């Protein structure tokens, strides 16, 4: 099964009830060739937000993504069409570092009435890697500490989708023979809270949430 390791960047929101929107999707395709995991392709695209088209200073500061980057980008449906075409197989698992990006995909796509048929076999790499590194149930390891523990140098910039996906892929490749893909799918008709495949989401999945750092930013 092909591993599609992805990462999202979202708008930073401060107003109650104002949803975040995806503004960048980055992904790395890892295949097994001659019994070894190999990066065979990458995907990156900015996404134009439509609910709050103007990026806040907090968003630009946190992600490094500029207004010009998203102004010339296509909207989520079009970018997802490109992403699905890039995956180019029915035999794949979508893998992310933690649960936050999956939650964002589900909530935003349902809000914008975008089908989720493609959100298959979602696997939380952070949770499995934390266990493989001997962390306790409530001790989810962060991406950077995980890389340091494996003596792998971070490549690129933090909080950019392709770079974070690429570095996550480096960790995955180290443990590829011990990572178990979760065979699941997302039912468009069910509410997010009722999805059985999300029942393992717990407080430990939030331990490495980079958006907690936003609480230290001042309102502009």
């Amino acid at each position: 099964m092909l591993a599609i390791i992805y990462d999202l960047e979202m708008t930073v929101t401060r107003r109650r009830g104002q949803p975040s929107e995806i503004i960048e999707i980055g992904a790395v395709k890892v295949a097994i060739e001659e019994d070894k995991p190999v990066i065979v392709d990458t995907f990156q695209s900015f996404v134009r937000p439509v609910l709050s088209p103007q990026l806040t200073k907090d968003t630009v500061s946190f992600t490094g993504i500029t207004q010009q980057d998203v102004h010339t980008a296509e909207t989520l449906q079009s970018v997802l069409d490109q992403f699905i075409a890039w995956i180019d197989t029915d035999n794949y698992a979508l893998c992310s570092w933690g649960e936050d990006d999956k939650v964002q995909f589900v909530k935003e796509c349902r809000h914008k009435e975008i089908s989720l048929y493609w959100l298959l076999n979602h696997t939380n790499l952070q949770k499995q890697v934390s266990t493989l590194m001997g962390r306790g149930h409530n001790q989810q390891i962060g991406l950077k500490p995980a890389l340091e523990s494996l003596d792998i140098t971070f490549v690129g910039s933090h909080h950019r989708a392709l770079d974070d996906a690429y570095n996550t892929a480096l960790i995955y490749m180290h443990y590829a023979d011990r990572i178990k893909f979760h065979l699941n799918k997302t039912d468009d008709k069910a509410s997010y809270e009722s999805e059985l495949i999300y029942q393992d989401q717990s407080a430990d999945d939030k331990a490495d949430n980079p958006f907690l750092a936003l609480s230290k930013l001042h309102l502009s």
Side-chain angles (χ1 to χ4, degrees), residues 152-195:
I152 299 174
T153 301
F154 186 95
V155 179
S157 301
H158 290 285
H159 307 311
R160 288 304 301 270
L162 180 54
D163 291 344
D164 282 349
Y166 182 85
N167 286 283
T168 301
L170 296 179
I171 297 174
Y172 164 77
M173 292 166 68
H174 182 87
Y175 289 111
D177 60 337
R178 286 179 278 177
I179 295 294
K180 296 180 180 179
F181 294 136
H182 291 172
L183 303 183
N184 51 52
K185 62 181 180 179
T186 301
D187 184 349
D188 282 339
K189 296 181 181 179
S191 67
Y192 174 77
E193 291 78 11
S194 68
E195 278 295 323

Side-chain angles (χ1 to χ4, degrees), residues 39-101:
I39 293 175
V40 295
D41 204 0
T42 62
F43 176 91
Q44 187 277 335
S45 180
F46 294 113
V47 182
R48 177 162 50 89
V50 295
L51 302 178
S52 299
Q54 187 69 33
L55 300 185
T56 65
K57 290 182 179 180
D58 282 354
T59 298
V60 175
S61 175
F62 187 70
T63 66
I65 296 172
T66 68
Q67 188 64 44
Q68 184 61 25
D69 289 331
V70 298
H71 179 72
T72 56
E74 298 183 69
T75 56
L76 183 59
Q77 176 70 78
S78 179
V79 173
L80 282 176
D81 288 343
Q82 297 169 38
F83 180 51
I84 295 164
W86 171 80
I87 292 175
D88 194 31
T89 180
D90 294 328
N91 189 31
Y92 64 91
L94 283 172
C95 305
S96 64
W97 192 258
E99 294 289 312
D100 292 335
D101 289 345

Side-chain angles (χ1 to χ4, degrees), residues 98-195:
E99 294 289 312
D100 292 335
D101 289 345
K102 178 182 69 175
V103 171
Q104 181 66 29
F105 261 146
V106 172
K107 289 185 176 180
E108 185 169 348
C109 285
R110 285 181 173 156
H111 181 78
K112 295 180 176 179
E113 299 183 342
I114 297 173
S115 174
L116 287 165
Y117 73 91
W118 50 271
L119 193 58
L120 298 174
N121 306 324
H122 204 284
T123 300
N124 181 349
L125 295 178
Q126 182 191 32
K127 193 166 188 177
Q128 293 195 49
V129 169
S130 295
T131 299
L132 291 168
M133 287 187 168
R135 295 297 181 105
H137 179 68
N138 292 315
Q139 296 180 325
Q140 298 291 284
I141 191 169
L143 180 60
K144 186 177 179 182
L147 289 164
E148 292 172 348
S149 178
L150 297 173
D151 199 26
I152 299 174
T153 301
F154 186 95
V155 179
S157 301
H158 290 285
H159 307 311
R160 288 304 301 270
L162 180 54
D163 291 344
D164 282 349
Y166 182 85
N167 286 283
T168 301
L170 296 179
I171 297 174
Y172 164 77
M173 292 166 68
H174 182 87
Y175 289 111
D177 60 337
R178 286 179 278 177
I179 295 294
K180 296 180 180 179
F181 294 136
H182 291 172
L183 303 183
N184 51 52
K185 62 181 180 179
T186 301
D187 184 349
D188 282 339
K189 296 181 181 179
S191 67
Y192 174 77
E193 291 78 11
S194 68
E195 278 295 323

